[in-house]
Structures are given as C-alpha cells and as structure tokens.
Amino acid sequence: MRFEKLRTNTFNQWIIIHLRYLLGFAFFPSGLVKVMGERFTRVSTSEPIGYFFEALYQSGFYWNFLGLTQVFAGILLMTQRFATLGALVFLAILSNIWIITLSLSFQGTWIITSLMMIAILVLLIWDKHKILPLLSYNKLYLVEQYSDPDRLWIISGSIYAICFISLQLLGPASANVVTRLFSLFLGVVILITFFTSNIMAYRKRKLLLNN
C-alpha cells in the first residue's frame, strides 16, 4: 500500500518524468563524442585514466558502439513510453562507468556516477511492476496497473532529445553567426517546451498521466 501511495502521488510522478529527462540528457554529451569518433578526455596517457581512455579510443568501432548505446539509452529514457527499457540499458552501461570511476580514482567523478546510480535504481523501483514478472519464471504473477505519462510528456521528451543532440553536434559556439543563432533557437525551443508542458500539466492535472 505504501508503494501504491507513492506511485499515485502527482508530485512523485512529476519528479520521475523529469528525472528520466535529466538522466537521458546526461548520456548525450559523452555518447555523441564517441559516436563522432573523438576523444573523451585530453588527460595524458602517462596517467592511468588517460591511458585507459586512449586504449578505448584506439579500439575503433567499439568506441563508437559505446557512444551509440549511451545515446540509445538516453533517447529511450526521454521518450517516457520506453523508459523502463531505457533504464535497464542505462543501468548496464552506468554500472561499468561507476566501477571504472571508483577503480581509477576519478577525482569527484565517482560522486556524480554514484548519484546517477541511485537515480537509475529509483527509476527501476518505480517500474518494478513491469520488471518483476520477467523474474517470476513459470509462476503466476499479477501485474499491477499504473498509468503511463501522457502524450504531452512523450512529445516534450522527443523535442528535448532532438534539441540536445543537435546542440551537441553543433559543438561550442563559434564565430559562425548562423551556428550561434541556430544554437540560440534550440535553447529557446527547450525553454518554451519546458514551461509550456509544465504549465499545461499544472492547469490540467489529468495531463500528467494517460488515464
């Protein structure tokens, strides 16, 4: 009953929706760098961290594959509809990253990855009613029904994903006026989407979930 009460709380639902957005976005910068075949860090190879990432970079397609899976997991999370699958893929990737940051003694980074691990576990617990039946082999399992996020959040997530990926592909602001204006436009679109979706959901609480 306690889980059901937490699961049906409107504020908790809002937090989970935006936590998915946040974690999805977190994978785009590092993932797209790998997809584009660029180095993730400039740390000297004389350092264990620099040597490790240089070895991964030199692996070729494997480096691109790591980036693709990160971007894929991020997009799945931001779609909301496929967020459970995205959380499972995210957990598989993040577990490796988390252990790497702990074993190579990344200064401060292990704190960020630890917080991300906690966040993804929260998302998995939130969707446990979808995951537990997969673990109940040859047993009758009653799946509890909870409403999924409304189409408003699915559309918003798609806009966020397109804008964030486009901004990352554009790279840092340069002297190119067109690029800077387009980056500004994408930033405005993100802000408008955020405020519009949340104002609509606040005014019409039923928009939070698809009932």
PDB file of all heavy atoms in Angstrom, residues 22-57:
ATOM      1  N   LEU A  22      16.410  14.158 -17.227  1.00  0.00           N
ATOM      2  CA  LEU A  22      17.738  14.560 -16.757  1.00  0.00           C
ATOM      3  C   LEU A  22      18.778  13.474 -17.012  1.00  0.00           C
ATOM      4  O   LEU A  22      19.879  13.757 -17.529  1.00  0.00           O
ATOM      5  CB  LEU A  22      17.672  14.890 -15.268  1.00  0.00           C
ATOM      6  CG  LEU A  22      18.968  15.369 -14.609  1.00  0.00           C
ATOM      7  CD1 LEU A  22      19.426  16.662 -15.257  1.00  0.00           C
ATOM      8  CD2 LEU A  22      18.771  15.569 -13.112  1.00  0.00           C
ATOM      9  N   LEU A  23      18.453  12.232 -16.663  1.00  0.00           N
ATOM     10  CA  LEU A  23      19.402  11.140 -16.875  1.00  0.00           C
ATOM     11  C   LEU A  23      19.609  10.870 -18.358  1.00  0.00           C
ATOM     12  O   LEU A  23      20.720  10.543 -18.789  1.00  0.00           O
ATOM     13  CB  LEU A  23      18.899   9.870 -16.181  1.00  0.00           C
ATOM     14  CG  LEU A  23      19.004   9.848 -14.653  1.00  0.00           C
ATOM     15  CD1 LEU A  23      18.441   8.550 -14.092  1.00  0.00           C
ATOM     16  CD2 LEU A  23      20.443  10.036 -14.201  1.00  0.00           C
ATOM     17  N   GLY A  24      18.549  10.986 -19.139  1.00  0.00           N
ATOM     18  CA  GLY A  24      18.683  10.796 -20.585  1.00  0.00           C
ATOM     19  C   GLY A  24      19.643  11.809 -21.176  1.00  0.00           C
ATOM     20  O   GLY A  24      20.529  11.466 -21.975  1.00  0.00           O
ATOM     21  N   PHE A  25      19.499  13.068 -20.764  1.00  0.00           N
ATOM     22  CA  PHE A  25      20.387  14.113 -21.250  1.00  0.00           C
ATOM     23  C   PHE A  25      21.835  13.883 -20.821  1.00  0.00           C
ATOM     24  O   PHE A  25      22.774  14.186 -21.559  1.00  0.00           O
ATOM     25  CB  PHE A  25      19.910  15.476 -20.727  1.00  0.00           C
ATOM     26  CG  PHE A  25      20.941  16.562 -20.831  1.00  0.00           C
ATOM     27  CD1 PHE A  25      21.275  17.100 -22.063  1.00  0.00           C
ATOM     28  CD2 PHE A  25      21.601  17.028 -19.700  1.00  0.00           C
ATOM     29  CE1 PHE A  25      22.244  18.091 -22.158  1.00  0.00           C
ATOM     30  CE2 PHE A  25      22.553  18.017 -19.786  1.00  0.00           C
ATOM     31  CZ  PHE A  25      22.881  18.555 -21.017  1.00  0.00           C
ATOM     32  N   ALA A  26      22.027  13.321 -19.636  1.00  0.00           N
ATOM     33  CA  ALA A  26      23.376  13.128 -19.086  1.00  0.00           C
ATOM     34  C   ALA A  26      24.251  12.255 -19.969  1.00  0.00           C
ATOM     35  O   ALA A  26      25.481  12.382 -19.959  1.00  0.00           O
ATOM     36  CB  ALA A  26      23.277  12.529 -17.686  1.00  0.00           C
ATOM     37  N   PHE A  27      23.641  11.358 -20.747  1.00  0.00           N
ATOM     38  CA  PHE A  27      24.414  10.453 -21.594  1.00  0.00           C
ATOM     39  C   PHE A  27      24.719  11.023 -22.975  1.00  0.00           C
ATOM     40  O   PHE A  27      25.553  10.480 -23.691  1.00  0.00           O
ATOM     41  CB  PHE A  27      23.666   9.130 -21.755  1.00  0.00           C
ATOM     42  CG  PHE A  27      24.183   8.040 -20.852  1.00  0.00           C
ATOM     43  CD1 PHE A  27      25.206   8.265 -19.953  1.00  0.00           C
ATOM     44  CD2 PHE A  27      23.659   6.755 -20.924  1.00  0.00           C
ATOM     45  CE1 PHE A  27      25.686   7.263 -19.128  1.00  0.00           C
ATOM     46  CE2 PHE A  27      24.123   5.735 -20.119  1.00  0.00           C
ATOM     47  CZ  PHE A  27      25.139   5.994 -19.216  1.00  0.00           C
ATOM     48  N   PHE A  28      24.040  12.097 -23.373  1.00  0.00           N
ATOM     49  CA  PHE A  28      24.221  12.620 -24.723  1.00  0.00           C
ATOM     50  C   PHE A  28      25.618  13.197 -24.992  1.00  0.00           C
ATOM     51  O   PHE A  28      26.238  12.855 -26.002  1.00  0.00           O
ATOM     52  CB  PHE A  28      23.155  13.675 -25.040  1.00  0.00           C
ATOM     53  CG  PHE A  28      21.785  13.101 -25.267  1.00  0.00           C
ATOM     54  CD1 PHE A  28      20.656  13.863 -25.064  1.00  0.00           C
ATOM     55  CD2 PHE A  28      21.616  11.795 -25.697  1.00  0.00           C
ATOM     56  CE1 PHE A  28      19.380  13.338 -25.262  1.00  0.00           C
ATOM     57  CE2 PHE A  28      20.355  11.249 -25.906  1.00  0.00           C
ATOM     58  CZ  PHE A  28      19.239  12.027 -25.693  1.00  0.00           C
ATOM     59  N   PRO A  29      26.151  14.071 -24.117  1.00  0.00           N
ATOM     60  CA  PRO A  29      27.463  14.657 -24.420  1.00  0.00           C
ATOM     61  C   PRO A  29      28.566  13.618 -24.606  1.00  0.00           C
ATOM     62  O   PRO A  29      29.264  13.610 -25.629  1.00  0.00           O
ATOM     63  CB  PRO A  29      27.734  15.550 -23.197  1.00  0.00           C
ATOM     64  CG  PRO A  29      26.386  15.883 -22.679  1.00  0.00           C
ATOM     65  CD  PRO A  29      25.570  14.645 -22.881  1.00  0.00           C
ATOM     66  N   SER A  30      28.733  12.716 -23.621  1.00  0.00           N
ATOM     67  CA  SER A  30      29.804  11.719 -23.721  1.00  0.00           C
ATOM     68  C   SER A  30      29.513  10.696 -24.815  1.00  0.00           C
ATOM     69  O   SER A  30      30.427  10.218 -25.484  1.00  0.00           O
ATOM     70  CB  SER A  30      29.983  11.006 -22.375  1.00  0.00           C
ATOM     71  OG  SER A  30      28.768  10.367 -21.984  1.00  0.00           O
ATOM     72  N   GLY A  31      28.239  10.361 -25.011  1.00  0.00           N
ATOM     73  CA  GLY A  31      27.878   9.375 -26.032  1.00  0.00           C
ATOM     74  C   GLY A  31      28.130   9.894 -27.437  1.00  0.00           C
ATOM     75  O   GLY A  31      28.698   9.184 -28.282  1.00  0.00           O
ATOM     76  N   LEU A  32      27.730  11.131 -27.708  1.00  0.00           N
ATOM     77  CA  LEU A  32      27.888  11.691 -29.049  1.00  0.00           C
ATOM     78  C   LEU A  32      29.353  11.938 -29.393  1.00  0.00           C
ATOM     79  O   LEU A  32      29.743  11.851 -30.556  1.00  0.00           O
ATOM     80  CB  LEU A  32      27.081  12.988 -29.157  1.00  0.00           C
ATOM     81  CG  LEU A  32      25.561  12.782 -29.208  1.00  0.00           C
ATOM     82  CD1 LEU A  32      24.830  14.111 -29.058  1.00  0.00           C
ATOM     83  CD2 LEU A  32      25.155  12.110 -30.518  1.00  0.00           C
ATOM     84  N   VAL A  33      30.155  12.252 -28.380  1.00  0.00           N
ATOM     85  CA  VAL A  33      31.604  12.406 -28.614  1.00  0.00           C
ATOM     86  C   VAL A  33      32.179  11.102 -29.158  1.00  0.00           C
ATOM     87  O   VAL A  33      32.976  11.101 -30.106  1.00  0.00           O
ATOM     88  CB  VAL A  33      32.319  12.805 -27.300  1.00  0.00           C
ATOM     89  CG1 VAL A  33      33.826  12.595 -27.424  1.00  0.00           C
ATOM     90  CG2 VAL A  33      32.028  14.255 -26.966  1.00  0.00           C
ATOM     91  N   LYS A  34      31.755   9.994 -28.582  1.00  0.00           N
ATOM     92  CA  LYS A  34      32.241   8.680 -29.039  1.00  0.00           C
ATOM     93  C   LYS A  34      31.686   8.333 -30.418  1.00  0.00           C
ATOM     94  O   LYS A  34      32.395   7.770 -31.258  1.00  0.00           O
ATOM     95  CB  LYS A  34      31.853   7.599 -28.028  1.00  0.00           C
ATOM     96  CG  LYS A  34      32.449   7.776 -26.638  1.00  0.00           C
ATOM     97  CD  LYS A  34      32.020   6.655 -25.718  1.00  0.00           C
ATOM     98  CE  LYS A  34      32.547   6.842 -24.302  1.00  0.00           C
ATOM     99  NZ  LYS A  34      31.866   7.946 -23.593  1.00  0.00           N
ATOM    100  N   VAL A  35      30.411   8.653 -30.651  1.00  0.00           N
ATOM    101  CA  VAL A  35      29.796   8.373 -31.952  1.00  0.00           C
ATOM    102  C   VAL A  35      30.547   9.103 -33.069  1.00  0.00           C
ATOM    103  O   VAL A  35      30.760   8.553 -34.150  1.00  0.00           O
ATOM    104  CB  VAL A  35      28.308   8.782 -31.955  1.00  0.00           C
ATOM    105  CG1 VAL A  35      27.729   8.697 -33.365  1.00  0.00           C
ATOM    106  CG2 VAL A  35      27.512   7.881 -31.015  1.00  0.00           C
ATOM    107  N   MET A  36      30.956  10.333 -32.792  1.00  0.00           N
ATOM    108  CA  MET A  36      31.669  11.143 -33.785  1.00  0.00           C
ATOM    109  C   MET A  36      33.145  10.782 -33.884  1.00  0.00           C
ATOM    110  O   MET A  36      33.888  11.384 -34.656  1.00  0.00           O
ATOM    111  CB  MET A  36      31.505  12.627 -33.452  1.00  0.00           C
ATOM    112  CG  MET A  36      30.073  13.126 -33.616  1.00  0.00           C
ATOM    113  SD  MET A  36      29.884  14.904 -33.366  1.00  0.00           S
ATOM    114  CE  MET A  36      30.154  15.041 -31.594  1.00  0.00           C
ATOM    115  N   GLY A  37      33.583   9.793 -33.066  1.00  0.00           N
ATOM    116  CA  GLY A  37      34.959   9.319 -33.157  1.00  0.00           C
ATOM    117  C   GLY A  37      35.986  10.257 -32.558  1.00  0.00           C
ATOM    118  O   GLY A  37      37.148  10.253 -32.987  1.00  0.00           O
ATOM    119  N   GLU A  38      35.579  11.036 -31.564  1.00  0.00           N
ATOM    120  CA  GLU A  38      36.506  11.964 -30.932  1.00  0.00           C
ATOM    121  C   GLU A  38      36.924  11.449 -29.553  1.00  0.00           C
ATOM    122  O   GLU A  38      36.263  10.595 -28.969  1.00  0.00           O
ATOM    123  CB  GLU A  38      35.853  13.339 -30.793  1.00  0.00           C
ATOM    124  CG  GLU A  38      35.472  13.962 -32.132  1.00  0.00           C
ATOM    125  CD  GLU A  38      34.745  15.286 -31.969  1.00  0.00           C
ATOM    126  OE1 GLU A  38      34.589  15.722 -30.803  1.00  0.00           O
ATOM    127  OE2 GLU A  38      34.329  15.869 -32.983  1.00  0.00           O
ATOM    128  N   ARG A  39      38.020  11.984 -29.050  1.00  0.00           N
ATOM    129  CA  ARG A  39      38.494  11.599 -27.718  1.00  0.00           C
ATOM    130  C   ARG A  39      37.612  12.214 -26.648  1.00  0.00           C
ATOM    131  O   ARG A  39      37.162  13.348 -26.772  1.00  0.00           O
ATOM    132  CB  ARG A  39      39.945  12.038 -27.522  1.00  0.00           C
ATOM    133  CG  ARG A  39      40.962  11.180 -28.280  1.00  0.00           C
ATOM    134  CD  ARG A  39      42.376  11.693 -28.055  1.00  0.00           C
ATOM    135  NE  ARG A  39      43.375  10.780 -28.572  1.00  0.00           N
ATOM    136  CZ  ARG A  39      43.761  10.755 -29.845  1.00  0.00           C
ATOM    137  NH1 ARG A  39      43.233  11.608 -30.713  1.00  0.00           N
ATOM    138  NH2 ARG A  39      44.675   9.887 -30.252  1.00  0.00           N
ATOM    139  N   PHE A  40      37.402  11.446 -25.581  1.00  0.00           N
ATOM    140  CA  PHE A  40      36.551  11.899 -24.489  1.00  0.00           C
ATOM    141  C   PHE A  40      37.324  12.767 -23.501  1.00  0.00           C
ATOM    142  O   PHE A  40      36.758  13.619 -22.845  1.00  0.00           O
ATOM    143  CB  PHE A  40      35.952  10.682 -23.760  1.00  0.00           C
ATOM    144  CG  PHE A  40      35.074  11.036 -22.602  1.00  0.00           C
ATOM    145  CD1 PHE A  40      33.863  11.673 -22.811  1.00  0.00           C
ATOM    146  CD2 PHE A  40      35.466  10.748 -21.296  1.00  0.00           C
ATOM    147  CE1 PHE A  40      33.044  12.011 -21.731  1.00  0.00           C
ATOM    148  CE2 PHE A  40      34.648  11.081 -20.222  1.00  0.00           C
ATOM    149  CZ  PHE A  40      33.436  11.709 -20.448  1.00  0.00           C
ATOM    150  N   THR A  41      38.622  12.561 -23.405  1.00  0.00           N
ATOM    151  CA  THR A  41      39.434  13.307 -22.453  1.00  0.00           C
ATOM    152  C   THR A  41      40.811  13.591 -23.044  1.00  0.00           C
ATOM    153  O   THR A  41      41.276  12.878 -23.943  1.00  0.00           O
ATOM    154  CB  THR A  41      39.607  12.523 -21.132  1.00  0.00           C
ATOM    155  OG1 THR A  41      40.439  13.280 -20.237  1.00  0.00           O
ATOM    156  CG2 THR A  41      40.246  11.172 -21.374  1.00  0.00           C
ATOM    157  N   ARG A  42      41.442  14.649 -22.544  1.00  0.00           N
ATOM    158  CA  ARG A  42      42.781  15.024 -23.004  1.00  0.00           C
ATOM    159  C   ARG A  42      43.842  14.720 -21.943  1.00  0.00           C
ATOM    160  O   ARG A  42      44.964  15.209 -22.026  1.00  0.00           O
ATOM    161  CB  ARG A  42      42.815  16.525 -23.326  1.00  0.00           C
ATOM    162  CG  ARG A  42      41.878  16.924 -24.458  1.00  0.00           C
ATOM    163  CD  ARG A  42      42.291  16.319 -25.777  1.00  0.00           C
ATOM    164  NE  ARG A  42      41.354  16.671 -26.860  1.00  0.00           N
ATOM    165  CZ  ARG A  42      41.459  16.215 -28.093  1.00  0.00           C
ATOM    166  NH1 ARG A  42      42.445  15.395 -28.406  1.00  0.00           N
ATOM    167  NH2 ARG A  42      40.583  16.575 -29.007  1.00  0.00           N
ATOM    168  N   VAL A  43      43.475  13.917 -20.969  1.00  0.00           N
ATOM    169  CA  VAL A  43      44.422  13.554 -19.917  1.00  0.00           C
ATOM    170  C   VAL A  43      45.580  12.771 -20.516  1.00  0.00           C
ATOM    171  O   VAL A  43      45.382  11.907 -21.390  1.00  0.00           O
ATOM    172  CB  VAL A  43      43.729  12.716 -18.825  1.00  0.00           C
ATOM    173  CG1 VAL A  43      44.723  12.303 -17.748  1.00  0.00           C
ATOM    174  CG2 VAL A  43      42.575  13.496 -18.211  1.00  0.00           C
ATOM    175  N   SER A  44      46.798  13.049 -20.067  1.00  0.00           N
ATOM    176  CA  SER A  44      47.985  12.391 -20.596  1.00  0.00           C
ATOM    177  C   SER A  44      47.932  10.875 -20.396  1.00  0.00           C
ATOM    178  O   SER A  44      47.417  10.387 -19.388  1.00  0.00           O
ATOM    179  CB  SER A  44      49.237  12.956 -19.910  1.00  0.00           C
ATOM    180  OG  SER A  44      50.389  12.220 -20.279  1.00  0.00           O
ATOM    181  N   THR A  45      48.463  10.147 -21.369  1.00  0.00           N
ATOM    182  CA  THR A  45      48.479   8.680 -21.286  1.00  0.00           C
ATOM    183  C   THR A  45      49.435   8.179 -20.207  1.00  0.00           C
ATOM    184  O   THR A  45      49.463   6.982 -19.916  1.00  0.00           O
ATOM    185  CB  THR A  45      48.881   8.071 -22.640  1.00  0.00           C
ATOM    186  OG1 THR A  45      50.113   8.658 -23.080  1.00  0.00           O
ATOM    187  CG2 THR A  45      47.814   8.321 -23.692  1.00  0.00           C
ATOM    188  N   SER A  46      50.224   9.079 -19.621  1.00  0.00           N
ATOM    189  CA  SER A  46      51.090   8.679 -18.515  1.00  0.00           C
ATOM    190  C   SER A  46      50.279   8.457 -17.240  1.00  0.00           C
ATOM    191  O   SER A  46      50.747   7.825 -16.295  1.00  0.00           O
ATOM    192  CB  SER A  46      52.164   9.742 -18.268  1.00  0.00           C
ATOM    193  OG  SER A  46      51.564  10.985 -17.926  1.00  0.00           O
ATOM    194  N   GLU A  47      49.061   8.989 -17.241  1.00  0.00           N
ATOM    195  CA  GLU A  47      48.139   8.786 -16.126  1.00  0.00           C
ATOM    196  C   GLU A  47      47.251   7.571 -16.410  1.00  0.00           C
ATOM    197  O   GLU A  47      46.888   7.330 -17.566  1.00  0.00           O
ATOM    198  CB  GLU A  47      47.262  10.024 -15.919  1.00  0.00           C
ATOM    199  CG  GLU A  47      48.022  11.295 -15.615  1.00  0.00           C
ATOM    200  CD  GLU A  47      48.612  11.280 -14.218  1.00  0.00           C
ATOM    201  OE1 GLU A  47      48.061  10.566 -13.352  1.00  0.00           O
ATOM    202  OE2 GLU A  47      49.620  11.976 -13.998  1.00  0.00           O
ATOM    203  N   PRO A  48      46.914   6.786 -15.390  1.00  0.00           N
ATOM    204  CA  PRO A  48      46.052   5.605 -15.605  1.00  0.00           C
ATOM    205  C   PRO A  48      44.742   5.925 -16.312  1.00  0.00           C
ATOM    206  O   PRO A  48      44.304   5.181 -17.190  1.00  0.00           O
ATOM    207  CB  PRO A  48      45.805   5.088 -14.185  1.00  0.00           C
ATOM    208  CG  PRO A  48      46.965   5.580 -13.391  1.00  0.00           C
ATOM    209  CD  PRO A  48      47.328   6.907 -13.982  1.00  0.00           C
ATOM    210  N   ILE A  49      44.131   7.056 -15.948  1.00  0.00           N
ATOM    211  CA  ILE A  49      42.856   7.440 -16.560  1.00  0.00           C
ATOM    212  C   ILE A  49      43.038   7.735 -18.040  1.00  0.00           C
ATOM    213  O   ILE A  49      42.274   7.268 -18.895  1.00  0.00           O
ATOM    214  CB  ILE A  49      42.260   8.670 -15.838  1.00  0.00           C
ATOM    215  CG1 ILE A  49      41.965   8.346 -14.378  1.00  0.00           C
ATOM    216  CG2 ILE A  49      40.994   9.153 -16.543  1.00  0.00           C
ATOM    217  CD1 ILE A  49      41.553   9.551 -13.548  1.00  0.00           C
ATOM    218  N   GLY A  50      44.058   8.529 -18.359  1.00  0.00           N
ATOM    219  CA  GLY A  50      44.333   8.877 -19.752  1.00  0.00           C
ATOM    220  C   GLY A  50      44.690   7.653 -20.581  1.00  0.00           C
ATOM    221  O   GLY A  50      44.253   7.508 -21.728  1.00  0.00           O
ATOM    222  N   TYR A  51      45.488   6.748 -19.997  1.00  0.00           N
ATOM    223  CA  TYR A  51      45.881   5.517 -20.698  1.00  0.00           C
ATOM    224  C   TYR A  51      44.657   4.646 -20.984  1.00  0.00           C
ATOM    225  O   TYR A  51      44.523   4.079 -22.076  1.00  0.00           O
ATOM    226  CB  TYR A  51      46.891   4.745 -19.840  1.00  0.00           C
ATOM    227  CG  TYR A  51      47.430   3.494 -20.490  1.00  0.00           C
ATOM    228  CD1 TYR A  51      48.466   3.557 -21.415  1.00  0.00           C
ATOM    229  CD2 TYR A  51      46.886   2.245 -20.183  1.00  0.00           C
ATOM    230  CE1 TYR A  51      48.950   2.408 -22.020  1.00  0.00           C
ATOM    231  CE2 TYR A  51      47.362   1.091 -20.781  1.00  0.00           C
ATOM    232  CZ  TYR A  51      48.399   1.184 -21.702  1.00  0.00           C
ATOM    233  OH  TYR A  51      48.864   0.042 -22.301  1.00  0.00           O
ATOM    234  N   PHE A  52      43.768   4.558 -20.013  1.00  0.00           N
ATOM    235  CA  PHE A  52      42.565   3.728 -20.161  1.00  0.00           C
ATOM    236  C   PHE A  52      41.684   4.242 -21.296  1.00  0.00           C
ATOM    237  O   PHE A  52      41.251   3.481 -22.169  1.00  0.00           O
ATOM    238  CB  PHE A  52      41.787   3.717 -18.838  1.00  0.00           C
ATOM    239  CG  PHE A  52      40.486   2.970 -18.893  1.00  0.00           C
ATOM    240  CD1 PHE A  52      40.453   1.590 -18.813  1.00  0.00           C
ATOM    241  CD2 PHE A  52      39.282   3.655 -19.037  1.00  0.00           C
ATOM    242  CE1 PHE A  52      39.257   0.895 -18.867  1.00  0.00           C
ATOM    243  CE2 PHE A  52      38.079   2.972 -19.089  1.00  0.00           C
ATOM    244  CZ  PHE A  52      38.069   1.590 -19.009  1.00  0.00           C
ATOM    245  N   PHE A  53      41.392   5.554 -21.284  1.00  0.00           N
ATOM    246  CA  PHE A  53      40.515   6.114 -22.311  1.00  0.00           C
ATOM    247  C   PHE A  53      41.169   6.132 -23.685  1.00  0.00           C
ATOM    248  O   PHE A  53      40.488   5.996 -24.704  1.00  0.00           O
ATOM    249  CB  PHE A  53      40.068   7.530 -21.918  1.00  0.00           C
ATOM    250  CG  PHE A  53      38.917   7.548 -20.970  1.00  0.00           C
ATOM    251  CD1 PHE A  53      39.088   7.912 -19.645  1.00  0.00           C
ATOM    252  CD2 PHE A  53      37.644   7.193 -21.399  1.00  0.00           C
ATOM    253  CE1 PHE A  53      38.014   7.914 -18.762  1.00  0.00           C
ATOM    254  CE2 PHE A  53      36.566   7.196 -20.521  1.00  0.00           C
ATOM    255  CZ  PHE A  53      36.748   7.554 -19.203  1.00  0.00           C
ATOM    256  N   GLU A  54      42.476   6.279 -23.723  1.00  0.00           N
ATOM    257  CA  GLU A  54      43.170   6.240 -25.018  1.00  0.00           C
ATOM    258  C   GLU A  54      43.084   4.841 -25.618  1.00  0.00           C
ATOM    259  O   GLU A  54      42.908   4.681 -26.837  1.00  0.00           O
ATOM    260  CB  GLU A  54      44.630   6.661 -24.837  1.00  0.00           C
ATOM    261  CG  GLU A  54      45.433   6.687 -26.132  1.00  0.00           C
ATOM    262  CD  GLU A  54      44.909   7.689 -27.148  1.00  0.00           C
ATOM    263  OE1 GLU A  54      44.200   8.629 -26.754  1.00  0.00           O
ATOM    264  OE2 GLU A  54      45.218   7.522 -28.350  1.00  0.00           O
ATOM    265  N   ALA A  55      43.183   3.817 -24.753  1.00  0.00           N
ATOM    266  CA  ALA A  55      43.052   2.435 -25.228  1.00  0.00           C
ATOM    267  C   ALA A  55      41.654   2.185 -25.791  1.00  0.00           C
ATOM    268  O   ALA A  55      41.492   1.542 -26.837  1.00  0.00           O
ATOM    269  CB  ALA A  55      43.351   1.456 -24.091  1.00  0.00           C
ATOM    270  N   LEU A  56      40.641   2.693 -25.108  1.00  0.00           N
ATOM    271  CA  LEU A  56      39.273   2.554 -25.606  1.00  0.00           C
ATOM    272  C   LEU A  56      39.101   3.295 -26.931  1.00  0.00           C
ATOM    273  O   LEU A  56      38.463   2.800 -27.863  1.00  0.00           O
ATOM    274  CB  LEU A  56      38.272   3.101 -24.577  1.00  0.00           C
ATOM    275  CG  LEU A  56      37.980   2.235 -23.347  1.00  0.00           C
ATOM    276  CD1 LEU A  56      37.026   2.968 -22.411  1.00  0.00           C
ATOM    277  CD2 LEU A  56      37.375   0.890 -23.749  1.00  0.00           C
ATOM    278  N   TYR A  57      39.665   4.495 -26.994  1.00  0.00           N
ATOM    279  CA  TYR A  57      39.557   5.299 -28.220  1.00  0.00           C
ATOM    280  C   TYR A  57      40.201   4.588 -29.409  1.00  0.00           C
ATOM    281  O   TYR A  57      39.670   4.593 -30.520  1.00  0.00           O
ATOM    282  CB  TYR A  57      40.218   6.660 -27.998  1.00  0.00           C
ATOM    283  CG  TYR A  57      40.320   7.500 -29.250  1.00  0.00           C
ATOM    284  CD1 TYR A  57      39.197   8.115 -29.783  1.00  0.00           C
ATOM    285  CD2 TYR A  57      41.555   7.661 -29.892  1.00  0.00           C
ATOM    286  CE1 TYR A  57      39.293   8.878 -30.947  1.00  0.00           C
ATOM    287  CE2 TYR A  57      41.657   8.427 -31.043  1.00  0.00           C
ATOM    288  CZ  TYR A  57      40.523   9.029 -31.567  1.00  0.00           C
ATOM    289  OH  TYR A  57      40.615   9.779 -32.710  1.00  0.00           O
TER     290      TYR A  57
END
